[in-house]
Amino acid sequence: MSLTEKPQSSPERKAYYEKIAKQDFSALWNVLSDIITPTPRSACQPHLWDFAAARALLLEAGDLITAKEAERRVLILENPGLRGQSRITTSLYAGLQLVMPGEVAPAHRHSQSALRFVMDGGGACTAVNGERTIMQEGDFVITPPWAWHDHGNESDKPMIWMDGLDIPMVSFYDASFAEGLNEDMQAITKPTGDSLARYGANMLPVDFEKRGLASPIFNYPYERTREALEIMRQRDEWDPCHGLKMRYVNPVDGGFAMPTIAPFVQLLPKGFKTASYRSTDATVFSVVEGTGRTTIDGKTFEWKPKDIFVVPSWQEVVHEADADAVLFSYSDRVAQQKLGIWREARSA
């Protein structure tokens, strides 16, 4: 017998299993091949969400319910293999949030870490622990665990961003807490841009004391990210599996920007086709710029700006760019690496 085989059944064995079940036991040998698998096995499926279709549905929801009544007006991106579980991967959540002009999504806080990746519109704001930031397309914004946060839209256009949270992870540990502020908007105690100036210029206050595990920067502007990618491309040093791929970091220790979610951004030049790659961290991708396609375990998905797609754990992925492309992505790699279970396989 091996890890892929199960013992044969017999009347005597069946009677024994029924006997031990009455005393809340079960036989490991009957389930061993299901719970310790030779390679990752997941119900998560590769899938792509068309942003134009999603935007139309969100705007329809905008006519049905206010941001305040909904608390958060969000359409969950449900993985087809995980329906009804509010998951885009086994360990991560994703949703598209809409805030209409003049609206406020009320202040609250929760145990879960959250990221916002701005998809459509500009000029809306998010406030986190007393500081407000103005969000533009392509910005990556962090809400640390148990941080007060609210969202407002003072622009004249709808604002849409992708929410990424570690809800399934926190639920797995039965560690979820949440509360509202009973005010739509929190008090602003810091000037806009304070955290980026204080922590994002290769400096830290002389008496800085680390509080929490998330980056003290909570808005990583796309303008700066894009400029960095463009300068680095001049070296013409392309990773065969990723093109030019960077990770967002915590300037305090150089680690990932979030304790449970690993955010990335990558540039694929026109005509670039990656070598086949697989890793244990199922990954959510959002197309910032460009057009192209991604093949996941033999199934090809054509993408364009603002589309979202997901690559399950340990499935081979190949990206191909028809025009210069920028992809934002996030996964649970940081958590897997801390646990010592992350693995990758490259074909080049």
Side-chain angles (χ1 to χ4, degrees):
M1 180 180 167
S2 70
L3 281 174
T4 60
E5 298 176 336
K6 293 184 179 182
Q8 293 183 351
S9 182
S10 70
E12 294 79 11
R13 290 178 177 180
K14 184 177 180 182
Y16 175 75
Y17 301 146
E18 292 174 352
K19 177 180 178 180
I20 64 175
K22 293 176 181 178
Q23 298 184 55
D24 301 310
F25 293 104
S26 63
L28 173 62
W29 55 86
N30 282 336
V31 298
L32 185 59
S33 61
D34 295 324
I35 62 176
I36 299 180
T37 58
T39 57
R41 187 186 301 170
S42 174
C44 180
Q45 297 178 12
H47 191 70
L48 181 143
W49 289 264
D50 178 83
F51 180 77
R55 187 178 189 276
L57 292 171
L58 274 170
L59 293 177
E60 185 179 349
D63 293 330
L64 294 174
I65 190 169
T66 66
K68 185 172 183 177
E69 184 184 359
E71 185 76 17
R72 295 294 185 264
R73 190 200 289 114
V74 175
L75 292 184
I76 300 170
L77 301 176
E78 285 204 322
N79 189 284
L82 302 166
R83 293 303 300 270
Q85 300 180 44
S86 299
R87 304 181 187 200
I88 192 166
T89 73
T90 305
S91 63
L92 294 171
Y93 161 100
L96 289 174
Q97 180 165 176
L98 169 69
V99 180
M100 297 293 287
E103 284 191 324
V104 173
H108 66 201
R109 62 181 178 177
H110 41 68
S111 306
Q112 294 79 3
S113 296
L115 67 81
R116 327 288 173 190
F117 186 72
V118 183
M119 306 282 292
D120 195 52
C125 63
T126 282
V128 176
N129 280 346
E131 182 180 345
R132 179 176 291 143
T133 186
I134 306 302
M135 301 189 293
Q136 306 296 339
E137 284 189 20
D139 287 1
F140 159 58
V141 179
I142 297 173
T143 302
W146 211 240
W148 291 112
H149 56 284
D150 54 78
H151 313 296
N153 186 358
E154 298 174 359
S155 77
D156 59 357
K157 295 181 180 179
M159 188 83 173
I160 298 172
W161 59 81
M162 178 171 62
D163 292 325
L165 287 88
D166 56 4
I167 293 172
M169 276 191 265
V170 174
S171 297
F172 177 80
Y173 289 109
D174 292 331
S176 178
F177 294 88
E179 66 175 315
L181 186 62
N182 297 321
E183 297 286 345
D184 285 351
M185 305 180 75
Q186 64 187 283
I188 301 301
T189 59
K190 306 169 189 174
T192 299
D194 181 81
S195 66
L196 190 60
R198 196 174 298 267
Y199 309 112
N202 297 317
M203 296 184 291
L204 289 174
V206 66
D207 57 352
F208 175 80
E209 293 183 11
K210 185 176 180 179
R211 296 189 181 97
L213 300 177
S215 170
I217 301 171
F218 75 99
N219 188 348
Y220 292 70
Y222 183 63
E223 183 179 9
R224 294 178 62 169
T225 300
R226 191 65 177 88
E227 180 183 8
L229 291 173
E230 201 59 36
I231 291 172
M232 285 185 286
R233 80 180 295 168
Q234 296 176 27
R235 295 285 297 272
D236 202 30
E237 295 175 351
W238 305 101
D239 181 284
C241 294
H242 303 305
L244 174 58
K245 188 170 185 177
M246 306 294 289
R247 59 186 177 95
Y248 293 89
V249 301
N250 183 337
V252 176
D253 56 17
F256 279 102
M258 302 175 71
T260 53
I261 302 175
F264 307 92
V265 66
Q266 68 192 105
L267 172 66
L268 302 172
K270 180 180 179 180
F272 188 85
K273 183 177 181 179
T274 68
S276 177
Y277 177 81
R278 65 171 71 186
S279 62
T280 52
D281 55 320
T283 304
V284 180
F285 288 87
S286 176
V287 183
V288 191
E289 300 178 29
T291 56
R293 66 201 53 82
T294 294
T295 301
I296 307 168
D297 261 13
K299 186 175 182 179
T300 300
F301 299 87
E302 301 281 343
W303 42 256
K304 58 189 181 303
K306 304 182 183 181
D307 287 348
I308 297 168
F309 62 94
V310 60
V311 178
S313 170
W314 212 242
Q315 294 196 10
E316 288 190 352
V317 59
V318 174
H319 303 296
E320 186 174 5
D322 293 334
D324 280 0
V326 178
L327 304 178
F328 171 84
S329 62
Y330 69 95
S331 76
D332 64 3
R333 181 177 301 189
V334 58
Q336 289 197 27
Q337 288 182 337
K338 288 175 181 176
L339 294 170
I341 59 175
W342 182 77
R343 185 183 293 194
E344 67 175 350
R346 291 168 163 261
S347 64

